[in-house]
Amino acid sequence: MPNTVQDSLLENIRSRDIAREGQARPCAIIWTDPRGEWLPVVTAMQTQVEELLVLGEFDLDRRTGPAIWIRCLVDRILKDPALPTDRAPIVYLPKVSRQDLRAGEDCRPELQPLVELMFRGTLWLQHNGNDWGVTTFLTSNKALNLAIAKDNATTDALLRALTEVALTPVAQLRDRHLEADDFDKMLTTDVIRDLLRWMGDSEGAKARVDQNGWGAICNQCREQLNFDPETEDVTTAGEFLGVGAGKWAEVWSRFEESPGAFGDIVGLLRRCRPSGSLQFDRHRWPDLNDEDEVTVQEKLAEIQTLGHTDACSAISELEAQHSKRRSWVWAGLGLSPMAAVLESLSRIAKAAGKAIGGTTPDEAAVVYMERGWMADAGAWEALSAAPSADEDLIREVVAHLLRPWLMDSATAFQKAVGNKPLPCAGDQALVKAGEDGCLLFADGLRFDLGRRLSERLEGLGCRVTLNHRWAAAPTVTATSKPAVTPVAGDIVGDVLGENFYPNMKSSGKEAGAMILRETMEGEGYQILGNGTLAFPASHPAYGWTETGEIDELGHKLKIKMARQIPDELDRLAERVLTLLNAGWKSVRIVTDHGWLLLPGGLPKVDLPKHLTASRWARCAVISGAATPDVMRSPWHWNPAESFATAPGIACFNKSDEYAHGGLSLQECLIPDLLVERTGDPAVAASIQSITWRGMRCLIEATVSGENITADLRFERPNGKSVIKVEKQLDEDGSTSLVMDGDEHESDQLVLVLLDPDRCILTKKPTRVGEDS
């Protein structure tokens, strides 16, 4: 991933090296720079970017020359200097604009050899076709999206410090409002920074300063560190850095703060570790970390030869030995993936060391909620964190740790259900929203995912109460979803049909999604579309909405769905915040069922199809008088009717990696979360109309709360502002905004309303002249 501003710049340029539909890859990427603002950065990049060609006075070593020479290199007529064959050349043109190249016969003669490259290549331009200036690139939401003051003093300071800005990690510039003083400070003397840059790229560091500047750096190093870059080799500095004695401890600390900001210091440390009997700190040497990574890989490969108990112990021992490496600098650089995945594997080993027992379902649930859920969470978290090269290995280890525990726990749970069946219709409290509360249904939100979601929401400042309930059995959406709606009392079961649906009392219709929503609406519930921002329409209001794709992803992607779970949980958390921001006092998150997930597939048992009216992965409806040797359990909606359930964690007739419908804690114990805001009630707003009068935008909105401001932004809600000044809405929710010039007259804009903390309350796309 990009680390510095220069890294991000190069990635953005290289992203143009793709073949558009029906077209060949570009022969070159043309980088026009009308004011020559990028020259200081390009000078530094010339020693690092092999495909970079620069228009200017001929200098073979720096790949600089006239247009005809560049054209011959792009066309591969000249072989020296050699250009990478897997990347398109980047042709930088200082003091040349896109209009200069498009001037046709009026194009300057010295540029004419490059004109034809526009048609076979591509220009690196903004979305609106303009050249990328420095400030635009840094502030555009299409690029780095930094917050930089717009005054001339800040722009001048930025350009003066551009070389330093380019080498600064982007993370250090985010979440700040950068002004002239911030950039001026970058130009002050910093001997440790300059030394580290020389260690990571000795030639590039020298090229960035003149002879006097380099001499000053050497003098500072001699005075402060007793080291002379002019006379001593860079590997000597690398050894001093790794040992970290005396004042070099400060150099190491600086490297740890931003390890990706100083070039290839990792490579330097790999080739200069001291040998022999010299004692040193192991955490300072990346090659030793590499050895530890290989050791973990080898040990994990042996796990499958061990019994389950020994395998769990071996994982715990590896975690004890390698957990400290997650705090080393190499982990932050992505060089310790096995140490990272051990954290999740160790949670499986700890939680799965003992099966979950209990003579009743409630007793088993207590144990699962205390420790069992961590095994399930550890499984998908390990699979999600597994490096691609070791994905198969991690899947095998997860399966080896998880399979016996899942089987034993499910078998014990099914015995507990035999002792005391799960609740049937009417045995659990009806799911209802509180006043001005919204019910959010998330299909397949397993209990461990509910725990992780509650942690995310608490981290976002919400108050979360995590409860639990039993899913309606069999644990398939047709049976389970109606049981967690506020109209469950209006639903009955007669004969268990092949699709597992109950029926509505009043109409006899199947309680499918559309009928459920219509019935809830008839009971006074406000039905909210997925992803829409809907305010409570009355007081008190009761809402229902559905979101999330967890179950869909499981059926579609199988074990690969593990990598999607973190993003799904983030989207669910975002949806909850959106509802709270819209004025709902609480959001109650409910789900229908959980699921089983096992790399390599769940075991298979046979159930002849001719004995069933309907056979799903983990449950079936038995035909007529057939009496197969299979466990039966009462149907939630009519205990007189029963369904067949697969034993343990098995599936009927095929080995799925993802399945549900049966009886296991993972499928039957579901979360029930109540989410509320902490502190004062949030302000809320809804845009009612947008009217344009020339370059003035007239706004009418419905608002709750004070100090709500309006802004017009370019292309995206977090894009740059295109107005002269933000304005606060009047008491009646109206205001007007004036465009800052006509530059964005034809562009897509977004009107946003902001709360006092600058959070977006609502948004609406618009264009100049388009009323809505």
Side-chain angles (χ1 to χ4, degrees):
M1 293 295 292
N3 185 283
T4 67
V5 170
Q6 182 173 300
D7 293 334
S8 299
L9 170 67
L10 184 58
E11 183 194 55
N12 194 295
I13 297 172
R14 284 174 171 168
S15 69
R16 301 302 303 271
D17 185 13
I18 58 173
R20 304 291 180 183
E21 185 175 353
Q23 299 179 1
R25 280 180 59 191
C27 68
I29 302 170
I30 312 300
W31 177 2
T32 52
D33 183 9
R35 292 187 291 274
E37 291 180 345
W38 292 106
L39 264 172
V41 178
V42 171
T43 300
M45 292 171 65
Q46 283 178 291
T47 62
Q48 305 166 25
V49 183
E50 294 179 332
E51 72 267 34
L52 179 60
L53 302 173
V54 179
L55 181 69
E57 295 293 328
F58 183 73
D59 185 337
L60 183 64
D61 293 337
R62 303 188 67 78
R63 293 184 294 278
T64 302
I68 187 63
W69 177 78
I70 291 176
R71 172 70 179 273
C72 290
L73 284 171
V74 170
D75 291 341
R76 311 288 172 169
I77 297 173
L78 295 177
K79 307 299 182 184
D80 189 23
L83 298 177
T85 58
D86 60 338
R87 292 196 295 268
I90 299 171
V91 179
Y92 173 69
L93 307 178
K95 303 295 181 68
V96 176
S97 70
R98 71 193 191 286
Q99 290 92 343
D100 292 333
L101 294 178
R102 292 172 176 168
E105 295 180 355
D106 295 329
C107 179
R108 303 200 308 263
E110 65 270 21
L111 297 178
Q112 288 180 1
L114 302 176
V115 172
E116 195 263 347
L117 295 183
M118 289 195 303
F119 304 99
R120 290 191 292 122
T122 185
L123 280 87
W124 182 58
L125 299 172
Q126 298 181 54
H127 181 70
N128 60 9
N130 292 332
D131 300 292
W132 278 109
V134 170
T135 301
T136 305
F137 180 79
L138 296 182
T139 59
S140 171
N141 62 350
K142 296 285 188 181
L144 296 192
N145 200 26
L146 301 178
I148 299 177
K150 299 179 180 180
D151 59 276
N152 292 335
T154 298
T155 300
D156 292 343
L158 166 61
L159 296 177
R160 283 196 303 270
L162 186 57
T163 302
E164 300 300 324
V165 173
L167 298 175
T168 302
V170 176
Q172 293 184 9
L173 302 175
R174 291 203 188 282
D175 302 321
R176 298 169 56 190
H177 185 70
L178 300 166
E179 299 180 345
D181 187 55
D182 297 298
F183 297 116
D184 286 338
K185 288 178 180 177
M186 294 183 182
L187 295 175
T188 58
T189 302
D190 187 338
V191 63
I192 293 179
R193 176 198 65 195
D194 295 335
L195 174 63
L196 286 168
R197 287 178 179 173
W198 171 75
M199 292 169 63
D201 178 16
S202 56
E203 293 302 317
K206 288 183 179 180
R208 281 191 290 270
V209 295
D210 57 24
Q211 189 62 37
N212 291 332
W214 175 242
I217 291 172
C218 293
N219 286 336
Q220 291 286 326
C221 288
R222 285 192 292 268
E223 290 178 9
Q224 298 185 33
L225 298 166
N226 196 28
F227 177 81
D228 188 352
E230 190 64 41
T231 60
E232 298 185 74
D233 191 76
V234 69
T235 56
T236 303
E239 182 175 334
F240 288 163
L241 175 65
V243 173
K247 290 189 176 182
W248 282 88
E250 185 179 348
V251 183
W252 174 263
S253 296
R254 185 67 171 275
F255 167 64
E256 276 190 312
E257 289 175 3
S258 303
F262 306 108
D264 189 22
I265 288 186
V266 174
L268 171 64
L269 289 171
R270 279 200 172 106
R271 65 179 188 267
C272 65
R273 177 169 58 90
S275 58
S277 59
L278 185 64
Q279 298 297 311
F280 44 78
D281 290 327
R282 190 174 182 85
H283 75 279
R284 294 178 182 270
W285 304 99
D287 57 318
L288 295 182
N289 183 71
D290 296 340
E291 292 177 7
D292 289 340
E293 285 288 293
V294 173
T295 296
V296 175
Q297 289 172 320
E298 293 172 346
K299 294 294 184 182
L300 290 179
E302 298 172 358
I303 289 294
Q304 293 184 84
T305 66
L306 304 176
H308 186 252
T309 300
D310 290 340
C312 290
S313 298
I315 292 293
S316 297
E317 290 174 7
L318 281 173
E319 167 67 3
Q321 295 165 6
H322 294 275
S323 60
K324 59 181 179 293
R325 292 199 293 116
R326 290 195 290 272
S327 64
W328 293 0
V329 65
W330 320 119
L333 291 170
L335 300 178
S336 306
M338 304 310 290
V341 80
L342 267 178
E343 184 174 20
S344 298
L345 292 176
S346 68
R347 281 199 289 269
I348 306 175
K350 183 178 180 180
K354 184 178 179 181
I356 295 175
T359 59
T360 67
D362 288 339
E363 289 179 1
V366 171
V367 180
Y368 183 81
M369 289 187 291
E370 286 178 353
R371 61 173 174 85
W373 71 272
M374 289 187 284
D376 290 315
W380 62 260
E381 286 169 344
L383 295 168
S384 176
S388 298
D390 298 295
E391 193 170 44
D392 290 341
L393 172 62
I394 301 305
R395 288 180 181 179
E396 291 168 357
V397 173
V398 168
H400 190 67
L401 297 173
L402 207 59
R403 185 183 290 108
W405 175 77
L406 285 176
M407 179 65 80
D408 293 345
S409 298
T411 301
F413 181 71
Q414 287 165 6
K415 290 181 180 178
V417 172
N419 296 333
K420 183 181 179 181
L422 294 174
C424 289
D427 292 341
Q428 296 186 100
L430 192 66
V431 171
K432 290 185 176 182
E435 287 192 0
D436 294 331
C438 183
L439 295 173
L440 187 154
F441 173 82
D443 194 357
L445 185 70
R446 200 168 66 172
F447 186 84
D448 55 311
L449 272 65
R451 287 290 299 255
R452 292 297 190 227
L453 178 58
S454 69
E455 292 167 4
R456 279 168 165 77
L457 289 166
E458 287 172 348
L460 293 170
C462 298
R463 180 171 57 249
V464 183
T465 304
L466 174 61
N467 298 308
H468 69 280
R469 59 190 294 120
W470 292 108
T475 48
V476 294
T477 298
T479 285
S480 301
K481 182 178 179 179
V484 292
T485 66
V487 294
D490 300 326
I491 299 172
V492 296
D494 185 11
V495 177
L496 178 57
E498 62 182 28
N499 58 13
F500 296 98
Y501 276 112
N503 303 98
M504 305 304 301
K505 283 181 182 178
S506 56
S507 65
K509 294 180 179 179
E510 288 184 347
M514 183 177 297
I515 296 298
L516 287 172
R517 285 194 287 268
E518 289 177 357
T519 307
M520 285 187 282
E521 197 165 21
E523 293 291 323
Y525 272 78
Q526 183 180 340
I527 308 302
L528 284 62
N530 182 17
T532 61
L533 175 59
F535 295 83
S538 60
H539 178 70
Y542 305 92
W544 171 273
T545 188
E546 302 179 22
T547 194
E549 300 178 347
I550 295 168
D551 189 44
E552 180 181 344
L553 290 170
H555 288 296
K556 180 180 179 181
L557 301 178
K558 310 300 182 184
I559 203 66
K560 293 181 179 179
M561 65 98 71
R563 293 194 183 274
Q564 307 299 318
I565 291 175
D567 288 340
E568 277 297 298
L569 295 180
D570 288 340
R571 280 190 282 270
L572 280 170
E574 182 180 355
R575 179 61 172 151
V576 171
L577 290 182
T578 299
L579 292 168
L580 293 174
N581 286 339
W584 297 95
K585 291 182 179 179
S586 65
V587 177
R588 184 177 177 182
I589 304 171
V590 295
T591 190
D592 47 0
H593 57 74
W595 32 268
L596 293 170
L597 184 72
L598 185 67
L602 298 159
K604 180 180 71 173
V605 295
D606 291 329
L607 177 62
K609 190 172 183 179
H610 69 273
L611 298 178
T612 66
S614 176
R615 187 184 63 188
W616 293 17
R618 295 259 299 147
C619 59
V621 178
I622 303 301
S623 295
T627 57
D629 184 15
V630 64
M631 179 181 175
R632 301 279 193 105
S633 190
W635 184 35
H636 174 86
W637 295 104
N638 183 355
E641 295 284 301
S642 65
F643 64 94
T645 181
I649 59 170
C651 293
F652 288 132
N653 292 80
K654 65 177 182 177
S655 179
D656 274 332
E657 291 182 316
Y658 175 93
H660 60 86
L663 297 178
S664 68
L665 281 160
Q666 287 79 5
E667 296 163 286
C668 297
L669 186 68
I670 53 177
D672 185 347
L673 291 81
L674 180 65
V675 187
E676 301 167 292
R677 275 199 179 275
T678 56
D680 297 331
V683 296
S686 175
I687 299 170
Q688 300 302 311
S689 69
I690 299 175
T691 306
W692 287 91
R693 296 290 183 266
M695 303 300 286
R696 182 181 293 274
C697 178
L698 307 179
I699 302 160
E700 292 184 356
T702 300
V703 299
S704 172
E706 299 179 345
N707 300 321
I708 297 174
T709 56
D711 191 13
L712 273 172
R713 295 178 175 178
F714 176 57
E715 289 194 336
R716 295 183 179 184
N718 62 344
K720 69 176 183 180
S721 177
V722 299
I723 61 174
K724 292 183 177 180
V725 62
E726 294 178 9
K727 293 185 68 176
Q728 187 169 310
L729 299 186
D730 296 334
E731 290 184 3
D732 63 357
S734 66
T735 193
S736 65
L737 305 173
V738 179
M739 294 280 287
D740 187 13
D742 59 1
E743 178 183 359
H744 299 288
E745 184 174 3
S746 60
D747 291 333
Q748 177 67 58
L749 307 175
V750 180
L751 172 65
V752 296
L753 301 185
L754 309 169
D755 70 11
D757 294 324
R758 310 283 304 160
C759 295
I760 296 175
L761 295 171
T762 187
K763 60 186 183 294
K764 192 170 187 177
T766 186
R767 291 180 187 271
V768 175
E770 294 184 1
D771 298 344
S772 61

